[in-house]
Amino acid sequence: PFGSVGYFDHFSAARECPNATTEVCDVIHWMRLNHALFLATGDARCIDRIENAYLNGFLPAIFNDGTWACHATRSHGTRQFAAPHQVGMKFHQCCVDNAPRVPLDLYESAAATATNGTVLALLYFRGDYALGGGARYRVLANDLLAGRLRVAVESREPCRVRFRAPPWAEDFSVDGRAATNGWVEAEAGAGATSFTATYRPCVALHEWRTREGADPRAALFEQVKETPEMAGLARREGGVYLTYGPFLLAKSTRFDASREECLNPPRRVRVGEKVSLRPLLGRCPFRSCGTWTATFGEGKDAFSVRVTDLQAHDANDPASAFSIWF
């Protein structure tokens, strides 16, 4: 669900485990591997993986105040597994040490110039990205859920531009040009050329199926030595999770969901049933892409719960609770 790889730095039958957790180092090096694979193949799916892993595996592991990071991102429980200090050193831990590399990795992955001079617009995080030959790629306005994106390409000579159409966006088009095979082709003149992309972020339910009787790896998931309140919270079965655009959503006691709603919901959601999101207005007190009321089902069977993206739940608080499982 986090767009990462392995199970807490273990690569043996990771998908069979009914719990979900990813070590931050796994996320970081999975992103770096996909960057190298994209350079070798030009396959846009590698960029899809970088975006997914960054938003859903990496960001939830970074504390809002920037003072520390987690050892692992969990799918549910009382808190993410904060990185312990290593070898007696107060400010050393390998996941935390690796984390500052990620912004540079994203910068290098956001755009590229192909051998034929075509500019490849790959990621849509706001920024100013330098390319070869003096060209620049600028993302001027986008929050990934607005449905409207403004970018500019600056080049000394006229050039072709290829925009990656994200798999989570329906009807992705650039200045009226529709996507074909995951890309939108456009032309940029000499100097600066502005483009506007429009799209509809998808709301989707996904089923995490696990093999019956698979080892839940409870000890590895719960880490009761450092987080004793996690004892008994490992799952014995798969579940359903919810995405909006590129974001994995979660219930959280930080956003008025009860502990029971988070960890032991009275009704399980089924893939295929109706789901809708209603945005909740007002300033969010935590770093977040937004908060919504999610409503599942119809009629008497319908129920609602407040949700947010997973990065909002970085509270190192044993009394809190959150879950991506619905």
Side-chain angles (χ1 to χ4, degrees):
F2 311 118
S4 185
V5 62
Y7 183 89
F8 206 128
D9 211 24
H10 292 66
F11 298 92
S12 175
R15 187 170 286 276
E16 292 184 359
C17 186
N19 296 290
T21 185
T22 183
E23 186 170 316
V24 177
C25 283
D26 294 347
V27 182
I28 293 168
H29 293 298
W30 177 237
M31 291 169 60
R32 298 191 72 185
L33 172 61
N34 274 284
H35 175 74
L37 288 171
F38 176 77
L39 295 180
T41 67
D43 191 333
R45 290 177 298 178
C46 301
I47 304 299
D48 298 341
R49 295 181 191 124
I50 291 172
E51 180 181 64
N52 194 10
Y54 171 69
L55 292 175
N56 301 312
F58 179 78
L59 279 184
I62 308 301
F63 286 10
N64 276 193
D65 61 10
T67 56
W68 198 244
C70 293
H71 192 177
T73 302
R74 285 175 169 136
S75 59
H76 65 282
T78 60
R79 45 183 164 165
Q80 306 293 8
F81 179 36
H85 305 128
Q86 288 180 321
V87 295
M89 297 176 68
K90 184 175 181 181
F91 297 109
H92 171 75
Q93 208 279 337
C94 64
C95 288
V96 183
D97 290 347
N98 280 323
R101 170 73 200 193
V102 170
L104 182 57
D105 290 339
L106 279 180
Y107 186 97
E108 294 175 343
S109 301
T113 303
T115 54
N116 64 1
T118 298
V119 171
L120 305 176
L122 302 170
L123 290 173
Y124 301 117
F125 302 116
R126 188 177 299 187
D128 185 353
Y129 306 92
L131 303 173
R136 305 195 76 85
Y137 166 64
R138 293 186 172 94
V139 180
L140 304 173
N142 190 32
D143 66 4
L144 299 185
L145 291 174
R148 187 175 178 86
L149 160 70
R150 287 195 303 113
V151 306
V153 173
E154 186 177 311
S155 177
R156 294 172 183 169
E157 303 290 338
C159 64
R160 195 162 191 78
V161 183
R162 298 188 79 204
F163 294 87
R164 163 184 159 264
W168 48 263
E170 295 181 355
D171 302 326
F172 186 89
S173 63
V174 178
D175 293 337
R177 300 179 187 89
T180 303
N181 297 324
W183 296 93
V184 177
E185 305 275 352
E187 300 288 339
T193 305
S194 296
F195 299 92
T196 299
T198 56
Y199 55 88
R200 290 184 297 132
C202 300
V203 179
L205 292 170
H206 313 263
E207 187 171 11
W208 180 262
R209 293 185 178 182
T210 60
R211 180 175 57 83
E212 186 176 351
D215 181 4
R217 306 183 195 183
L220 194 59
F221 180 81
E222 294 172 356
Q223 297 289 335
V224 294
K225 181 179 179 181
E226 289 84 3
T227 53
E229 78 285 350
M230 283 288 298
L233 294 184
R235 293 170 62 93
R236 265 60 185 177
E237 59 183 357
V240 171
Y241 61 94
L242 173 68
T243 57
Y244 181 33
F247 290 98
L248 176 65
L249 301 187
K251 303 164 287 185
S252 173
T253 54
R254 298 185 92 187
F255 292 86
D256 298 334
S258 68
R259 183 181 177 90
E260 188 75 4
E261 284 177 314
C262 291
L263 302 179
N264 189 27
R267 179 173 88 74
R268 300 292 177 89
V269 171
R270 301 176 299 276
V271 168
E273 69 178 298
K274 183 178 179 180
V275 55
S276 61
L277 295 177
R278 179 174 59 84
L280 295 168
L281 303 180
R283 183 172 176 82
C284 175
F286 311 107
R287 181 184 63 191
S288 162
C289 70
T291 56
W292 300 267
T293 297
T295 300
F296 303 93
E298 298 179 271
K300 295 180 179 180
D301 195 39
F303 74 99
S304 299
V305 64
R306 182 175 289 193
V307 298
T308 184
D309 54 298
L310 187 57
Q311 67 169 318
H313 193 92
D314 71 348
N316 194 18
D317 177 8
S320 66
F322 76 100
S323 179
I324 69 169
W325 305 115
F326 289 89

